[in-house]
Amino acid sequence: MTRLTRLAELRRLLPLTAAGLFLLALTVPVWRITFDAPQYVETLVVELYAHPRIGGDFEEVAMLNKYVGFYYPDPVYADPNYAVHEKAVAVPEWILGPVAFVGLAATAAVVALLPGGRIERGLLALFTGAVAVLGSMAVIIQYRLYQAGHTLDPDAPLNGVDGFTPPLLGNYQVANIDGTAWVGPGGYMLVAAVVALAVAVALRDSPATIADVPALARNGWNRFRDRVRRRGREDDRSRGNRPSDSDERPGLDVETDGGSDPRAPDARGSDGRGPPTGGGRS
């Protein structure tokens, strides 16, 4: 089998796909927040990239944030596309976003080229590493959001606002401003990349190619259906369900010697004698 043919294997093709998704995620917003405020008729949107850049209506939102003393972060080692407030929270790790994504993409490409016998361990390590890296990034971002929301500028016009923690994903409210945080296009790409790696791990011992996808899908559906049926039968037994009375009626499975039905009434005459036999005289 040539190297080009081996790349058609799903356990190799999926890591390469994930590598492309990691790189594409750098070109689009990874995270987005929408804001609704009484003074704005339309919903405002702020989009954040994996590198120090903010898109959308970030200037209008900055005007809203300054009333409560909440400012965009300071990347420290890079010049972002917005004015950094002197009291903004420092987030020097923001410049490491491209490093993490490019590193994951490069590692995925290397693992896809590993020979058989090594790719199995490589896929497990790659998937574990990707989850660890992206999970750590999410934890750091959530901490920075907590830090920014609890170090509000005391000189802000609305200095009576209590500290708050904007969620990484979800809704929140500050004064009369409603915010909703969710993943952007880049975030969906990251999720798709992790899913692709998870599938590659599941197929790490299989040489199945992309041509085998329909058969794998059918077999997977059949296994899922059989599992559901088995679980249903186990649940019935655990609840103590018993067969119906008709199934337990005695005599249903009695074997006969080919004569009359043993369940039929006893065919005797009115005098108590049995039926006449063919060998007797009438």
Side-chain angles (χ1 to χ4, degrees):
M1 181 182 294
T2 65
R3 179 171 298 180
L4 184 60
T5 304
R6 287 201 303 268
L7 290 179
E9 295 177 355
L10 292 174
R11 60 181 179 176
R12 302 179 186 276
L13 186 60
L14 289 172
L16 291 176
T17 302
L21 291 172
F22 284 132
L23 294 178
L24 286 176
L26 287 171
T27 65
V28 293
V30 176
W31 189 43
R32 70 195 306 268
I33 312 172
T34 59
F35 297 92
D36 290 300
Q39 56 267 50
Y40 290 93
V41 178
E42 296 182 356
T43 298
L44 302 178
V45 180
V46 172
E47 298 175 320
L48 292 93
Y49 290 72
H51 51 89
R53 175 181 173 80
I54 298 179
D57 307 311
F58 64 93
E59 294 181 350
E60 289 81 356
V61 174
M63 296 176 61
L64 290 174
N65 287 340
K66 72 178 182 179
Y67 286 105
V68 297
F70 186 92
Y71 308 116
Y72 293 138
D74 181 6
V76 182
Y77 299 116
D79 294 326
N81 64 325
Y82 57 87
V84 178
H85 196 277
E86 59 182 4
K87 295 183 179 180
V89 173
V91 288
E93 67 275 4
W94 198 356
I95 63 172
L96 298 178
V99 176
F101 287 14
V102 172
L104 288 173
T107 304
V110 170
V111 169
L113 299 176
L114 290 176
R118 297 180 59 188
I119 189 173
E120 295 85 356
R121 295 189 297 272
L123 286 171
L124 280 172
L126 172 61
F127 176 73
T128 303
V131 172
V133 169
L134 297 178
S136 299
M137 293 176 66
V139 170
I140 292 173
I141 294 173
Q142 186 61 77
Y143 169 71
R144 292 303 189 187
L145 290 171
Y146 169 86
Q147 188 179 21
H150 286 80
T151 57
L152 301 177
D153 187 356
D155 298 327
L158 299 178
N159 55 11
V161 177
D162 296 331
F164 62 96
T165 303
L168 187 62
L169 300 173
N171 303 322
Y172 66 99
Q173 183 175 13
V174 181
N176 62 347
I177 303 173
D178 296 321
T180 300
W182 198 249
V183 294
Y188 286 110
M189 291 180 183
L190 296 179
V191 173
V194 173
V195 171
L197 294 179
V199 175
V201 169
L203 299 174
R204 63 187 182 277
D205 297 320
S206 171
T209 66
I210 191 171
D212 300 317
V213 170
L216 289 172
R218 287 194 301 269
N219 292 336
W221 167 251
N222 291 335
R223 286 195 299 269
F224 173 76
R225 183 182 57 190
D226 293 342
R227 182 179 301 177
V228 171
R229 288 176 176 175
R230 287 196 302 269
R231 184 173 299 176
R233 290 194 293 266
E234 291 172 358
D235 291 343
D236 289 341
R237 287 195 294 267
S238 64
R239 288 193 296 264
N241 289 351
R242 299 177 60 84
S244 62
D245 294 339
S246 60
D247 294 337
E248 293 184 344
R249 189 176 300 153
L252 286 178
D253 299 326
V254 175
E255 295 183 358
T256 68
D257 57 358
S260 59
D261 190 344
R263 291 170 294 179
D266 193 5
R268 294 180 179 271
S270 58
D271 57 355
R273 298 178 181 177
T277 61
R281 287 185 290 182
S282 58

